[in-house]
Amino acid sequence: NAGVMQNPRHLVRRRGQEARLRCSPMKGHSHVYWYRQLPEEGLKFMVYLQKENIIDESGMPKERFSAEFPKEGPSILRIQQVVRGDSAAYFCASSPRGAPPDTQYFGPGTRLTVL
Amino acid sequence: AQSVSQHNHHVILSEAASLELGCNYSYGGTVNLFWYVQYPGQHLQLLLKYFSGDPLVKGIKGFEAEFIKSKFSFNLRKPSVQWSDTAEYFCAVNGEGKLIFGQGTTLQVKP
């Protein structure tokens, strides 16, 4: 049973470019969460999605960041016009139910470097 | 506001020493608590979790944690650490779907 898949594992972008990060949840999981880990910091929640629905985006920066989880295909975290401060590890997690008690399983992360 | 605090940011131990990592949380609702571990270069893996019932929870690799409601704590313990336990450890509480993480504790075990 494959775990949470994320790609790419490493992404390098120049300032002003767009970054697209993909996450495929575990089989049978319909809830996806995105977290960001800045250097020397813990993980911070960004957004929680179900298929075709954003449940909680309270952790998303107001500008340049968006997320989707379409009916078919992976969840996408999109960062437009990247800046150096966006350099971080972005982790995706999935869970089967979404409502507590529930366990989130994490992917390997995408390490974004903005030059 | 919901928050999780891990008091030890960096811990260095010798092999066979006992480990206790502190975790305190602030959350008004029903708590679901987790410890995750991140080995160097790897992703987060679940060590153990508490949902309800016995407050002493046993996880993988000999780890355990005790939920003490009166102290709002969920400390992680291991009686005898190994070099392979070198990793970063994160405490988290499930707050309305999203996980709220502590800052993490880096554990370095010297052989």
Side-chain angles (χ1 to χ4, degrees):
Chain A
N1 193 10
V4 179
M5 309 291 286
Q6 287 188 252
N7 68 81
R9 295 289 305 274
H10 299 273
L11 182 61
V12 179
R13 285 288 179 266
R14 296 191 181 279
R15 282 180 296 171
Q17 291 184 318
E18 179 179 286
R20 280 183 181 241
L21 288 62
R22 295 174 188 78
C23 169
S24 297
M26 284 180 72
K27 188 176 180 181
H29 289 191
S30 57
H31 301 262
V32 165
Y33 312 79
W34 285 93
Y35 295 85
R36 177 166 62 176
Q37 185 178 29
L38 293 166
E40 307 299 322
E41 293 187 23
L43 282 84
K44 303 291 185 189
F45 167 79
M46 298 182 76
V47 62
Y48 163 27
L49 309 105
Q50 273 183 278
K51 291 275 187 184
E52 299 183 287
N53 201 11
I54 296 175
I55 307 298
D56 182 351
E57 56 181 347
S58 58
M60 288 280 270
K62 299 297 180 196
E63 297 175 345
R64 303 187 296 108
F65 285 72
S66 62
E68 63 176 8
F69 189 15
K71 188 176 180 181
E72 301 291 338
S75 174
I76 307 286
L77 179 68
R78 183 179 175 211
I79 311 172
Q80 294 178 290
Q81 299 175 336
V82 296
V83 301
R84 289 220 174 104
D86 297 332
S87 294
Y90 292 82
F91 290 94
C92 168
S94 73
S95 69
R97 286 184 301 275
D102 203 4
T103 300
Q104 295 179 23
Y105 297 88
F106 282 80
T110 294
R111 277 155 181 80
L112 172 65
T113 302
V114 179
L115 301 177
Chain B
Q2 304 157 357
S3 66
V4 176
S5 178
Q6 292 180 240
H7 316 298
N8 319 100
H9 296 297
H10 200 137
V11 174
I12 302 174
L13 294 173
S14 298
E15 275 195 314
S18 64
L19 170 72
E20 180 160 3
L21 301 182
C23 172
N24 286 91
Y25 65 90
S26 170
Y27 183 65
T30 301
V31 287
N32 304 124
L33 294 156
F34 305 83
W35 275 97
Y36 284 88
V37 60
Q38 187 176 27
Y39 297 104
Q42 297 188 27
H43 61 286
L44 274 80
Q45 300 172 41
L46 182 67
L47 262 184
L48 48 78
K49 61 188 177 185
Y50 171 80
F51 286 168
S52 63
D54 189 343
L56 184 60
V57 179
K58 296 202 183 292
I60 61 171
K61 305 186 180 185
F63 286 91
E64 64 178 33
E66 186 174 11
F67 170 54
I68 303 180
K69 190 175 180 180
S70 60
K71 294 185 178 180
F72 299 93
S73 70
F74 189 56
N75 292 355
L76 181 71
R77 299 193 293 248
K78 185 171 184 178
S80 176
V81 294
Q82 300 172 312
W83 176 79
S84 58
D85 292 325
T86 294
E88 191 154 16
Y89 293 81
F90 294 95
C91 181
V93 62
N94 188 318
E96 298 169 347
K98 60 192 177 191
L99 286 175
I100 301 162
F101 284 89
Q103 308 93 309
T105 298
T106 301
L107 171 65
Q108 184 182 351
V109 180
K110 293 183 175 179

